[in-house]
């Protein structure tokens, strides 16, 4: 067709060029230091990051139709039939092949980075990849709980909005993507530990839990903030009060992030019982949450002052009640988050002791 032909030609020519460059690179020994090593790491880690982004974008559109076609016989796609009787049908084989292609290319570049001797760069970038997986999984949890709450409140959810092509409630794609990325980056980090280039297995476990804790806490407090904002829309009698979907969405965020509470207790216990392993990750987690809390407070204070000054000067903005509700909700989120993080940092003497 007019679109497939040029795309295929570009892909094949790019593949040939990449193969020629790789053959030329293999004529020279792999550099371990200097400018050549820097460019090699930019290539391996940069392409891996691009492939991960591509996988994150494409995976949610590949998995739901596959699940629908293999396990449900295409029931979700049948709901998308238009009035003329024409129904879009995805080629399951090509969808599976596309998904495997993205995963294989991503895994190949991950295998290339497994031979890298740079401890800091490898640990940092693989840790960021692990965080991407955790974020995708939390997004899937949020979507799942949102659908569950909709069903509990007797609102029908069409199957096509769950397992269609890029569906509205795509928790299947997000959960599977999160599990895949978490598992692979965990395996690569474990391989670094086995090679002696990364921390021990126990300390790696604490580090991964600290990453999960920060992202889950952000999810939880985001949900709490939205619940508070919806409450202010009722108390301040906004022209457009929050509807049921807004309440359910905010509740789903809060429920999905509740796991941060359990991890917080575990990290507190680990910091007391295994300080040599948990001190560094615990310090990073506490200070990260403190920074997020301070940033939230700064936004809340700036917003509240802006509303107050414009009102006192006699030129209030048109939607000042909504902005005030946002400022108050942000303030009520930032205060406990920053306060608890500051109390924890002082109680555990995080400011006095360097990370171990």
């Amino acid at each position: 067709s007019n679109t497939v032909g040029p795309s295929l030609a570009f892909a094949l020519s790019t593949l040939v060029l990449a193969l020629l460059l790789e053959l030329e690179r293999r004529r020279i020994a792999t550099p371990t230091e200097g400018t050549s090593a820097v460019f090699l790491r930019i290539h391996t880690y940069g392409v891996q990051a691009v492939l991960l982004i591509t996988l994150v974008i494409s995976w949610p559109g590949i998995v739901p139709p596959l699940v629908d076609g293999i396990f449900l016989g295409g029931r979700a796609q049948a709901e998308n039939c238009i009035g003329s009787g024409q129904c879009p049908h995805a080629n399951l084989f090509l969808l599976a092949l596309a998904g495997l292609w993205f995963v294989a290319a991503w895994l190949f570049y991950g295998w290339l980075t497994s031979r890298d001797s740079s401890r800091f760069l490898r640990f940092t970038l693989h840790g960021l990849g692990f965080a991407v997986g955790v974020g995708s999984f939390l997004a899937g949890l949020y979507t799942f709980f949102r659908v569950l709450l909709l069903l509990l409140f007797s609102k029908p959810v069409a199957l096509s909005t769950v397992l269609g092509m890029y569906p509205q409630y795509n928790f299947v794609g997000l959960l599977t993507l999160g599990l895949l990325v978490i598992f692979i980056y965990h395996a690569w980090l474990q391989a670094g530990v086995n090679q002696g280039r990364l921390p021990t297995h126990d300390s790696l476990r604490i580090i991964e839990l600290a990453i999960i804790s920060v992202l889950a806490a952000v999810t939880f407090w985001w949900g709490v903030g939205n619940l508070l904002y919806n409450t202010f829309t009722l108390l301040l009698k906004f022209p457009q009060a929050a509807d049921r979907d807004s309440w359910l969405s905010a509740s789903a965020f809060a429920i999905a992030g509740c796991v941060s509470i359990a991890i917080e207790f575990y990290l507190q216990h680990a910091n007391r019982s295994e300080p040599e392993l948990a001190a560094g990750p615990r310090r990073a987690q506490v200070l990260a949450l403190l920074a997020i809390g301070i940033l939230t407070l700064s936004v809340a204070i700036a917003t509240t002052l802006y509303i107050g000054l414009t009102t006192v000067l006699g030129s209030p903005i048109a939607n000042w009640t909504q902005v005030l509700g946002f400022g108050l909700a942000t303030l009520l989120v930032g205060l406990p988050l920053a306060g608890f993080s500051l109390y924890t940092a002082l109680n555990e003497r995080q400011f006095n002791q360097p990370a171990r």
Side-chain angles (χ1 to χ4, degrees):
S1 66
N2 294 332
T3 57
V4 174
S7 300
L8 184 61
F10 176 78
L12 291 176
S13 59
T14 304
L15 178 62
V16 171
L17 176 62
L19 290 175
L20 291 176
L21 291 174
E22 178 63 19
L23 291 174
E24 179 63 21
R25 186 192 67 81
R26 288 176 179 271
R27 294 177 59 247
I28 306 174
T30 302
T32 57
E33 58 183 12
T35 306
S36 299
V38 172
F39 280 102
L40 178 62
R41 290 186 176 115
I42 291 175
H43 166 231
T44 53
Y45 287 106
V47 174
Q48 184 186 13
V50 171
L51 290 172
L52 177 60
I53 294 172
T54 306
L55 181 66
V56 169
I57 296 173
S58 61
W59 185 270
I62 293 174
V63 172
L66 285 175
V67 174
D68 175 49
I70 295 174
F71 298 102
L72 300 178
R75 286 172 54 192
Q77 279 198 344
E79 292 184 0
N80 290 325
C81 293
I82 58 178
S84 60
Q86 297 179 355
C87 302
H89 290 287
N91 189 311
L92 299 183
F93 174 75
L94 293 180
L95 274 178
L97 187 63
L100 291 175
W101 168 257
F102 287 129
V103 173
W106 171 56
L107 291 177
F108 173 73
Y109 271 90
W111 173 75
L112 291 179
T113 59
S114 67
R115 298 179 293 175
D116 186 19
S117 59
S118 174
R119 171 178 173 146
F120 174 77
L121 185 64
R122 179 176 174 182
F123 177 75
T124 302
L125 295 181
H126 283 180
L128 289 174
F130 181 85
V132 170
V134 173
S136 300
F137 187 78
L138 287 172
L141 278 181
Y142 153 74
T143 310
F144 171 77
F145 286 122
R146 186 179 178 186
V147 171
L148 187 61
L149 290 173
L150 287 172
L151 295 175
L152 289 176
F153 283 87
S154 302
K155 182 174 181 179
V157 178
L159 187 62
S160 59
T161 62
V162 176
L163 293 176
M165 186 69 71
Y166 286 99
Q168 180 182 0
Y169 306 115
N170 190 5
F171 63 85
V172 175
L174 291 171
L175 288 176
T176 53
L177 172 66
L179 289 174
L180 174 67
V181 175
I182 289 172
F183 174 78
I184 294 300
Y185 276 107
H186 172 74
W188 286 338
L189 289 170
Q190 290 278 24
V193 173
N194 295 333
Q195 295 170 358
R197 296 172 180 172
L198 295 179
T200 63
H201 291 283
D202 291 332
S203 61
L204 179 61
R205 169 175 51 85
I206 303 296
I207 292 170
E208 291 176 344
L209 286 175
I211 294 173
I212 297 172
S213 173
V214 172
L215 295 177
V218 171
T219 304
F220 173 77
W221 287 108
W222 180 270
V224 171
N226 279 278
L227 288 173
L228 291 171
Y229 176 78
N230 292 342
T231 303
F232 286 126
T233 62
L234 296 177
L235 297 178
L236 299 177
K237 298 181 180 180
F238 288 2
Q240 294 181 346
D243 56 10
R244 182 175 62 177
D245 287 345
S246 298
W247 285 99
L248 297 182
S249 177
S251 301
F253 271 115
I255 296 172
C258 279
V259 67
S260 63
I261 300 174
I263 299 177
E264 172 65 24
F265 285 115
Y266 178 82
L267 290 178
Q268 287 182 7
H269 172 74
N271 190 50
R272 290 192 299 266
S273 60
E274 301 174 300
E276 67 282 355
L277 296 177
R282 174 62 173 170
R283 184 168 187 261
Q285 178 234 4
V286 171
L287 295 183
L289 291 178
L290 177 61
I292 295 172
I294 293 174
L295 180 61
T296 305
L297 274 179
S298 302
V299 172
I301 294 173
T303 303
T304 306
L305 288 176
Y306 175 74
I307 293 297
L309 289 175
T310 54
T311 303
V312 170
L313 295 176
S315 58
I317 59 177
N319 59 337
W320 71 272
T321 55
Q322 293 181 342
V323 180
L324 179 61
F326 167 79
L328 292 176
T330 307
L331 181 66
L332 292 179
V333 166
L335 279 175
L337 178 58
F340 177 76
S341 300
L342 181 60
Y343 170 79
T344 303
L346 294 175
N347 186 50
E348 298 179 359
R349 300 181 180 179
Q350 301 291 356
F351 297 118
N352 301 330
Q353 298 179 4
R356 300 181 187 179

